[in-house]
Amino acid sequence: MSRTGRVERTTKETSVVVEIDLDGTGRTDITTGVGFYDHMLDQLGRHGLFDLTVKTDGDLHIDSHHTIEDTALALGAAFKKALGDKVGIYRFGNCTVPLDESLAQVTVDLSGRPYLVHTEPENMAPMIGAYDTTMTRHILESFVAQAQIALHVHVPYGRNAHHIVECQFKALARALRYASERDPRAAGILPSTKGAL
Ligand SMILES: [Mn+2]
């Protein structure tokens, strides 16, 4: 049974298409018009072992905000779709990833309830190319709201903005992979005593 999700989202500001296969090999095809964001979504697919296609055509003549946010919303919705009934998965995942001087710690619960806890250094460089570094939290908020997961992302230390953001996406990818993977001991079992996720 394939675990894939496809979402098309069109507004007056953006047009987004996302396709994800949770049981992929990390093959990605990403075009948002924001180079650094493409690089981050590439990390998400590669290190999550998700096959991921993202095509966003956004109002970049204003700035990159709508393009980045709406892509994250569609990605969250596609991820939720692909998860399906969540039977037989691990549900929880965590990963700590260093990138030179920076460290990211990510913990996820595919709980069905959106909640984000996020901390990162406050004094980061404001821009990485066309990517506004205050958007990282906004991406995570948007993804969490649509994917309906509990997500804790912490960067206890780091200096270089590129490193600080990239280690978060790498750790997020790996934590999502661990949480969404099938647990061979739990085939047919929903990982909840409540009977719903
Ligand atoms: Mn916004």
Side-chain angles (χ1 to χ4, degrees):
M1 196 186 60
S2 79
R3 297 192 300 164
T4 60
R6 184 177 198 280
V7 167
E8 281 191 51
R9 185 183 192 280
T10 301
T11 68
K12 287 176 181 168
E13 296 170 342
T14 62
S15 162
V16 186
V17 181
V18 172
E19 289 176 1
I20 190 167
D21 181 347
L22 300 185
D23 304 301
T25 56
R27 233 174 349 99
T28 63
D29 183 7
I30 318 275
T31 315
T32 67
V34 182
F36 182 76
Y37 194 35
D38 290 357
H39 180 44
M40 291 304 99
L41 297 179
D42 197 24
Q43 303 296 329
L44 196 66
R46 185 67 52 87
H47 295 290
L49 289 182
F50 307 131
D51 289 345
L52 182 62
T53 302
V54 177
K55 302 285 172 201
T56 302
D57 186 10
D59 54 359
L60 292 173
H61 60 282
I62 295 177
D63 69 1
S64 59
H65 190 115
H66 302 137
T67 296
I68 291 173
E69 176 176 1
D70 294 358
T71 300
L73 289 168
L75 185 62
F79 183 76
K80 181 174 189 293
K81 240 184 210 183
L83 274 178
D85 61 12
K86 300 180 186 169
V87 169
I89 64 168
Y90 283 101
R91 176 179 167 180
F92 306 102
N94 66 82
C95 191
T96 299
V97 169
L99 206 173
D100 295 350
E101 86 297 341
S102 299
L103 187 82
Q105 303 161 322
V106 173
T107 307
V108 63
D109 177 6
L110 306 178
S111 59
R113 298 183 307 276
Y115 205 101
L116 175 70
V117 180
H118 181 241
T119 60
E120 64 181 359
E122 298 287 338
N123 53 351
M124 241 185 298
M127 300 296 291
I128 306 168
Y131 180 92
D132 172 346
T133 57
T134 66
M135 288 303 288
T136 306
R137 182 168 299 162
H138 209 13
I139 290 164
L140 298 174
E141 286 166 348
S142 304
F143 180 79
V144 158
Q146 291 294 315
Q148 297 187 346
I149 64 175
L151 180 65
H152 294 232
V153 177
H154 296 294
V155 180
Y157 49 81
R159 271 190 314 274
N160 179 276
H162 189 124
H163 292 167
I164 289 169
V165 178
E166 184 166 337
C167 64
Q168 293 180 68
F169 277 89
K170 282 179 164 154
L172 174 63
R174 205 46 84 87
L176 288 175
R177 172 185 156 193
Y178 295 152
S180 62
E181 262 175 354
R182 291 193 173 99
D183 178 351
R185 290 188 61 197
I189 298 171
L190 185 73
S192 166
T193 55
K194 196 165 55 182
L197 267 182

